[in-house]
């Protein structure tokens, strides 16, 4: 009887606290974009994003609204996004969001976001309309703290090793973007 009592008092609550929720979404048209927007809308303090390709107007609008709510947003994009016509990086910068570009020689192919240190969005899903409507992609929303901490470490590394936009606040190039993309210095 004492063992059963101890089980209910100590072991069962510990097991329940370890049970974390994972939500799974697929595209096309499987709710990935809405899930991302929903998580952004829940943010109250921070959003850290490492994203290869970001061109979804709806997701960008949700990010701008989060910035308007004083949520601190940091975004690391692949360096190709600085000059890609469909990229929303310039729009985000003009609206006051902090955007940096990856300096590595390979692609910055990550696709994840951390919301308030308590929710992780990850998977193959690029934040684009094509990914939502045509591509076969997946998205996971994870609340496991240990997993989130590993992604936070990686994001901080990416943030520290990336460079700021080569344009000033008015959109004029201070250092030509082709120079930054080619030589990875002084940018």
């Amino acid at each position: 009887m004492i063992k059963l009592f101890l089980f209910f008092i100590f072991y069962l609550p510990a097991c329940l606290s370890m049970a974390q929720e994972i939500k799974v979404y697929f595209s096309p048209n499987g709710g990935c974009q809405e899930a991302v927007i929903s998580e952004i809308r829940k943010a109250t303090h921070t959003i850290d994003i490492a994203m290869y390709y970001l061109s979804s107007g709806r997701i960008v609008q949700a990010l701008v609204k989060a910035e308007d709510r004083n949520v601190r947003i940091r975004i690391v994009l692949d360096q190709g996004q600085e000059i890609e016509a469909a990229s929303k990086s310039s729009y985000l910068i003009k609206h006051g969001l902090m955007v940096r570009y990856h300096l590595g020689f390979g692609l910055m192919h990550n696709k994840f976001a951390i919301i308030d240190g308590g929710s992780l969005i990850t998977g193959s899903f690029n934040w684009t309309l094509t990914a939502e409507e045509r591509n076969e992609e997946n998205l996971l929303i994870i609340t496991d703290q240990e997993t989130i901490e590993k992604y936070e470490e990686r994001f901080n590394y990416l943030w520290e090793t990336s460079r700021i936009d080569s344009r000033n606040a008015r959109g004029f190039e201070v250092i030509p973007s082709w120079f930054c993309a080619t030589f990875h210095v002084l940018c």
Side-chain angles (χ1 to χ4, degrees):
M1 186 67 157
I2 292 176
K3 288 182 183 179
L4 186 59
F5 176 75
L6 291 174
F7 172 80
F8 281 111
I9 297 297
F10 296 107
Y11 185 71
L12 186 59
C15 290
L16 292 175
S17 70
M18 287 188 271
Q20 301 296 322
E21 184 177 20
I22 299 176
K23 296 177 186 173
V24 180
Y25 301 88
F26 296 99
S27 67
N29 300 313
C32 292
Q33 181 172 258
E34 285 306 315
V36 170
I37 292 169
S38 175
E39 292 298 310
I40 291 169
R41 286 179 180 154
K42 292 177 193 175
T44 57
H45 302 293
T46 62
I47 300 174
D48 289 334
I49 300 167
M51 189 60 50
Y52 170 65
Y53 203 98
L54 177 53
S55 67
S56 167
R58 293 193 58 223
I59 293 174
V60 166
Q61 288 303 313
L63 289 169
V64 169
K65 287 179 182 176
E67 168 75 15
D68 291 344
R69 295 190 318 268
N70 294 315
V71 174
R72 185 197 69 174
I73 302 171
R74 300 184 300 169
I75 303 170
V76 176
L77 297 172
D78 183 71
Q79 62 187 344
Q81 293 299 291
E82 186 174 20
I83 57 175
E84 172 64 42
S87 173
K88 301 293 186 196
S89 63
S90 295
Y91 181 85
L92 292 166
I93 291 166
K94 287 178 184 175
H95 282 83
L97 282 78
M98 296 183 287
V99 176
R100 291 188 180 182
Y101 300 97
H102 182 254
L103 284 175
F105 289 101
L107 296 176
M108 200 296 299
H109 211 251
N110 285 293
K111 299 163 187 87
F112 69 85
I114 304 160
I115 311 292
D116 291 333
S119 179
L120 169 67
I121 303 168
T122 191
S124 68
F125 185 72
N126 279 303
W127 292 7
T128 68
L129 188 59
T130 302
E132 176 64 14
E133 294 181 350
R134 289 189 276 187
N135 294 352
E136 291 288 340
E137 308 222 17
N138 67 79
L139 181 85
L140 300 170
I141 299 176
I142 302 168
T143 58
D144 176 65
Q145 198 58 44
E146 188 175 321
T147 302
I148 292 169
E149 288 171 7
K150 289 178 183 177
Y151 275 82
E152 284 177 330
E153 286 176 22
R154 188 61 180 179
F155 178 84
N156 288 328
Y157 165 78
L158 291 169
W159 183 256
E160 293 302 319
T161 60
S162 295
R163 63 172 171 75
I164 61 171
D165 191 73
S166 64
R167 293 160 288 199
N168 65 18
R170 293 190 178 118
F172 300 113
E173 286 192 328
V174 176
I175 301 170
S177 57
W178 63 265
F179 182 84
C180 295
T182 305
F183 297 106
H184 312 291
V185 294
L186 303 173
C187 301

